[in-house]
Amino acid sequence: MKKTLATLLFGAIAASAMAQSTPVGLWRNVDDKTGEAKGEIRIVEANGALLGRLERSLKKDTKPDATCDECPDDRKGKPIAGLEIIRGGKKAEGKEVWEGGKILDPENGKEYRASFTPIDGGQKLEVRGYIGPFWRTQTWNRAN
């Protein structure tokens, strides 16, 4: 009985830890220049690929009815709140990284190739945006 209980408890803890080693969840991104939180992004997995929406802007100067005027595609003119900023990205075989996705910067309307790597036991997410051979990495924090 004790052995079964210990096995179940260990399995639950391991499953919980594994669930945290994924980009799926609610994240806060931080402004590279000011260090202030910019927004909360909810990432879900749909049909094996990532999808992320800007749940809410945390910037003080964002108007409640702000829209993505710089977006070049179907997101042009859509409200910033709820805007889909991550499309695609699948877990790389044998690695703890999700690759092949795209991420949109709603401030300038530019879309970048992207990869997403959970770090620090899944409490942080390295988000790397690529354009050509150049890239920039941000570290997002898991929001509770």
Side-chain angles (χ1 to χ4, degrees):
M1 179 73 169
K2 287 183 181 178
K3 191 174 186 179
T4 303
L5 183 58
T7 302
L8 288 173
L9 183 60
F10 177 75
I13 291 169
S16 175
M18 286 180 64
Q20 296 296 312
S21 292
T22 172
V24 173
L26 183 64
W27 299 94
R28 281 198 173 166
N29 68 343
V30 177
D31 187 288
D32 295 335
K33 295 173 186 153
T34 66
E36 293 182 25
K38 288 174 46 174
E40 289 185 346
I41 298 94
R42 169 91 47 199
I43 300 176
V44 299
E45 194 168 344
N47 300 321
L50 299 178
L51 175 92
R53 293 188 185 279
L54 181 61
E55 257 190 25
R56 68 184 180 128
S57 176
L58 300 173
K59 293 176 70 176
K60 295 174 181 83
D61 60 346
T62 301
K63 297 175 184 169
D65 60 348
T67 59
C68 191
D69 298 326
E70 302 296 325
C71 293
D73 54 17
D74 61 307
R75 296 170 279 196
K76 185 172 185 70
K78 301 275 184 183
I80 295 290
L83 188 68
E84 190 177 284
I85 64 167
I86 296 171
R87 291 182 171 171
K90 296 185 178 189
K91 190 170 189 301
E93 193 172 325
K95 298 180 187 175
E96 289 299 314
V97 62
W98 279 251
E99 301 173 318
K102 296 202 173 193
I103 189 164
L104 172 78
D105 182 344
E107 291 180 3
N108 62 23
K110 292 183 181 176
E111 190 172 57
Y112 304 91
R113 289 179 301 124
S115 67
F116 308 89
T117 308
I119 59 173
D120 289 346
Q123 293 306 301
K124 294 183 179 200
L125 184 67
E126 280 188 351
V127 179
R128 182 169 283 182
Y130 301 87
I131 188 161
F134 305 102
W135 72 86
R136 188 175 103 205
T137 303
Q138 283 189 337
T139 301
W140 295 1
N141 299 307
R142 191 175 289 276
N144 295 326

